[in-house]
């Protein structure tokens, strides 16, 4: 029996919706050789897709046993997608939910226990990529999760804010929730769970808000270094970035907290800005240098947000008339700009992220998109296509600028 060929055949059958035949092949492989963990993992996934959840959990645990023996320190569970507080949720406004004896996965700051998985109200990022989630149903209602027994424990009451170095996610998804906490004198004194190794704008923003480092409990927060935290009692404020009406409240609060009165009162900006994304290693604009040369003829200033403090970025963007740049977190600085500012978002044709469009709608920004040609192709994964570098037709951008000026 050729195990590799049989596994490939089973996988093809599974992908073509013939999961029963695929299941038979994998079960036969396990019967012949019960010491290959990949066979158990494959069978677990097939069973999960067929909604045989407990059987799937059993074979996932068997896979761990075969691969790690008795050394496994992980816990596996079948959980359902749940609402933090159904009564408060029905009011359709952001709220605070108190949870006891729950776990937190710090890569996407999701909350869970042995039956429930709380994510939709907590994170605006693609939490399905979390290392905690092994399988999920198409409707995202059921999950097979795995987490380490070697978790950190926070015994005292605390507040979950979470965090991310990305400026948009940090300000709109995480910091904006603090407006719920500041209204409660007791909650505002509690320790706050955030990400470690903070970007400079994160540190600066917390300092502006008067939150000291002593009040923070920090955990790693990325896809390769994830922490599991058990909280005896945690207060969880929900997102302001799920609906346009809530995002408007988030922007109003952020502008009130971070902008000086003299720049907040600017009704029409004067500056034309090109926001570069030259430093990251993905979603780069290949012909950025050539475009900048042409845009300088129209009095555009080159802005590299990372070279400025948060306060400096706020001042620069508060006087913006036109903002152009490849799709990136730097464009989120539009929240400091006057209503009516024009934002031209440059992106590859596969990039369908909606964050900036929703942000613009929430702040009466005149938002436009110019699609270019991505370097990735149809043979690449959806994620790689979204993240690929791209080039733009400069004439189209220049004609759009001319029409605005």
């Amino acid at each position: 029996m050729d195990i590799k060929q049989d596994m490939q055949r089973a996988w093809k059958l599974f992908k073509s919706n013939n999961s029963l035949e695929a299941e038979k092949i994998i079960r036969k492989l396990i019967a012949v050789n019960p010491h290959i963990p990949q066979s158990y993992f494959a069978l677990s996934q097939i069973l999960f897709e067929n909604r045989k959840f407990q059987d799937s959990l059993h074979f996932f645990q068997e896979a761990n046993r075969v691969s790690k023996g008795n050394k496994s320190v992980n816990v596996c569970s079948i959980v359902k997608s749940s609402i933090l507080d159904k009564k408060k949720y029905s009011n359709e406004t952001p709220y605070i939910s108190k949870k006891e004896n729950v776990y937190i996965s710090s890569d996407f700051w999701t909350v869970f226990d042995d039956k429930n998985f709380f994510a939709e109200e907590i994170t605006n990022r693609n939490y399905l990529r979390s290392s905690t989630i092994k399988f999920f149903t198409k409707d995202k209602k059921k999950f097979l999760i795995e987490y380490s027994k070697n978790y950190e424990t926070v015994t005292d009451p605390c507040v979950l804010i979470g965090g991310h170095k990305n400026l948009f996610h940090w300000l709109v998804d995480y910091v904006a929730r603090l407006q719920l906490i500041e209204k409660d004198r007791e909650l505002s004194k509690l320790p706050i769970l955030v990400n470690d190794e903070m970007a400079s704008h994160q540190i600066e923003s917390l300092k502006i808000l008067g939150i000291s480092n002593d009040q923070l409990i920090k955990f790693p927060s990325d896809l390769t270094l994830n922490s599991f935290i058990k909280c005896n009692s945690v207060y969880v404020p929900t997102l302001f970035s799920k609906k346009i009406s809530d995002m408007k409240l988030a922007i109003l609060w952020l502008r009130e907290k971070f902008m000086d009165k003299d720049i907040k009162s600017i009704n029409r900006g004067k500056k034309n800005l090109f926001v570069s994304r030259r430093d990251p290693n993905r979603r780069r604009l290949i012909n950025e240098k050539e475009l900048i040369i042409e845009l300088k003829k129209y009095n555009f200033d080159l802005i590299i947000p990372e070279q400025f403090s948060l306060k400096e970025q706020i001042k620069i963007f508060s006087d913006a008339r036109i903002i152009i740049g490849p799709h990136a977190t730097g464009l989120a600085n539009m929240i400091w700009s006057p209503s009516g500012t024009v934002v031209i978002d440059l992106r590859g044709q596969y990039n369908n992220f909606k964050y900036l469009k929703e942000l613009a709608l929430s702040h009466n920004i005149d938002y436009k998109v110019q699609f270019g040609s991505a370097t990735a192709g149809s043979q690449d994964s959806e994620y790689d296509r979204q993240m690929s570098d791209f080039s733009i037709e400069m004439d189209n951008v220049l004609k759009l600028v001319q029409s605005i000026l």
Side-chain angles (χ1 to χ4, degrees):
M1 179 178 283
D2 190 320
I3 295 173
K4 186 176 181 180
Q5 280 190 357
D6 284 344
M7 285 284 285
Q8 290 175 342
R9 186 159 63 93
W11 198 246
K12 285 182 180 179
L13 287 167
F14 174 61
K15 288 296 184 182
S16 60
N17 295 321
N18 196 346
S19 56
L20 290 177
E21 283 301 313
E23 182 181 336
K24 288 179 183 178
I25 293 171
I26 300 297
R27 285 186 181 276
K28 192 176 291 185
L29 286 175
I30 291 173
V32 172
N33 189 340
H35 305 295
I36 302 175
Q38 289 85 351
S39 299
Y40 293 94
F41 281 122
L43 182 56
S44 177
Q45 183 168 2
I46 291 169
L47 291 167
F48 190 89
E49 290 284 336
N50 289 334
R51 306 187 74 86
K52 299 176 182 177
F53 299 124
Q54 292 307 314
D55 289 343
S56 172
L57 179 62
H58 167 74
F59 282 101
F60 194 90
Q61 292 168 329
E62 283 296 292
N64 275 339
R65 181 188 61 79
V66 171
S67 62
K68 302 173 184 177
N70 294 324
K71 297 179 181 179
S72 176
V73 292
N74 291 343
V75 179
C76 307
S77 299
I78 299 290
V79 294
K80 64 178 181 179
S81 177
S82 298
I83 299 299
L84 288 163
D85 187 314
K86 291 181 179 179
K87 186 176 180 180
K88 291 181 178 179
Y89 178 79
S90 65
N91 294 327
E92 298 186 347
T93 56
Y95 63 90
I96 301 172
S97 173
K98 181 182 179 181
K99 290 295 173 185
E100 296 181 341
N101 298 316
V102 293
Y103 300 89
I104 296 169
S105 178
S106 67
D107 52 359
F108 289 87
W109 302 101
T110 50
V111 178
F112 60 92
D113 55 29
D114 59 347
K115 294 180 180 178
N116 302 288
F117 194 81
F118 307 100
E120 289 296 330
E121 300 171 276
I122 299 174
T123 180
N124 204 23
R125 296 160 57 214
N126 185 10
Y127 64 86
L128 298 176
R129 296 176 59 227
S130 171
S131 60
T132 309
I133 299 174
K134 302 307 173 184
F135 309 132
F136 57 90
T137 54
K138 291 179 181 179
D139 61 5
K140 303 175 189 176
K141 298 297 184 185
K142 284 274 191 177
F143 307 91
L144 192 157
I145 63 170
E146 181 182 28
Y147 60 98
S148 174
K149 292 178 184 175
N150 295 330
Y151 49 75
E152 303 277 350
T153 300
V154 179
T155 55
D156 294 330
C158 60
V159 172
L160 172 60
I161 292 298
H164 195 278
K165 292 180 180 180
N166 176 290
L167 180 69
F168 169 86
H169 289 302
W170 171 243
L171 289 176
V172 181
D173 289 344
Y174 298 109
V175 171
R177 293 186 234 189
L178 288 169
Q179 64 185 290
L180 294 173
I181 300 301
E182 71 175 4
K183 296 174 183 177
D184 189 304
R185 183 175 296 180
E186 294 304 316
L187 291 187
S188 63
K189 297 176 183 177
L190 295 180
I192 302 172
L193 304 184
V194 295
N195 63 297
D196 68 356
E197 298 183 2
M198 287 186 158
S200 58
H201 60 257
Q202 292 183 278
I203 297 170
E204 185 180 352
S205 62
L206 292 174
K207 186 176 180 180
I208 292 170
L209 292 172
I211 297 173
S212 70
N213 192 59
D214 293 339
Q215 194 176 349
L216 306 178
I217 304 178
K218 299 178 181 179
F219 292 98
S221 179
D222 60 47
L223 296 181
T224 57
L225 189 60
N226 184 21
S227 287
F228 294 102
I229 311 140
K230 182 178 181 183
C231 293
N232 291 351
S233 178
V234 59
Y235 292 88
V236 185
T238 60
L239 284 167
F240 277 78
S241 52
K242 283 293 185 181
K243 295 190 307 182
I244 299 299
S245 57
D246 293 337
M247 201 179 286
K248 285 183 178 180
L249 296 175
I251 293 172
L252 286 172
W253 184 83
L254 289 168
R255 287 173 63 87
E256 181 66 30
K257 291 294 181 181
F258 291 98
M259 296 184 76
D260 296 332
K261 289 183 179 180
D262 58 331
I263 60 174
K264 191 167 56 175
S265 61
I266 296 175
N267 293 320
R268 180 176 171 82
K270 303 182 187 70
K271 294 179 181 177
N272 300 329
L273 309 175
F274 180 88
V275 185
S276 176
R277 187 186 166 85
R278 60 176 55 174
D279 293 335
N281 58 5
R282 60 188 186 181
R283 293 208 309 266
R284 292 168 295 193
L285 177 58
I286 296 169
N287 55 341
E288 178 178 298
K289 290 182 180 178
E290 294 83 354
L291 180 58
I292 291 170
I293 291 171
E294 294 300 316
L295 287 174
K296 283 190 174 180
K297 298 175 184 178
Y298 298 91
N299 297 316
F300 272 80
D301 296 327
L302 172 62
I303 302 297
I304 302 174
E306 295 80 9
Q307 295 180 354
F308 298 93
S309 69
L310 178 60
K311 271 291 189 182
E312 288 170 336
Q313 290 182 59
I314 292 171
K315 187 172 183 179
I316 291 169
F317 284 88
S318 70
D319 196 23
R321 181 184 180 190
I322 305 174
I323 303 170
I324 301 178
H327 184 88
T329 186
L331 295 183
N333 278 299
M334 72 174 84
I335 67 175
W336 317 120
S337 303
S339 295
T341 297
V342 179
V343 171
I344 303 175
D345 182 354
L346 309 177
R347 54 169 77 187
Q349 75 268 34
Y350 300 112
N351 185 332
N352 59 5
F353 292 120
K354 299 177 181 178
Y355 303 131
L356 293 178
K357 180 180 179 180
E358 293 170 348
L359 193 64
L361 286 171
S362 303
H363 188 42
N364 297 321
I365 295 293
D366 187 357
Y367 176 79
K368 305 176 188 298
V369 176
Q370 283 284 302
F371 287 101
S373 300
T375 56
S378 57
Q379 74 280 1
D380 296 300
S381 70
E382 180 182 359
Y383 182 77
D384 287 338
R385 293 198 300 270
Q386 286 182 328
M387 294 298 175
S388 67
D389 296 343
F390 67 101
S391 58
I392 202 82
E393 286 289 339
M394 290 198 295
D395 286 346
N396 293 340
V397 177
L398 297 176
K399 285 178 182 177
L400 183 54
V401 169
Q402 291 166 3
S403 71
I404 297 167
L405 295 174

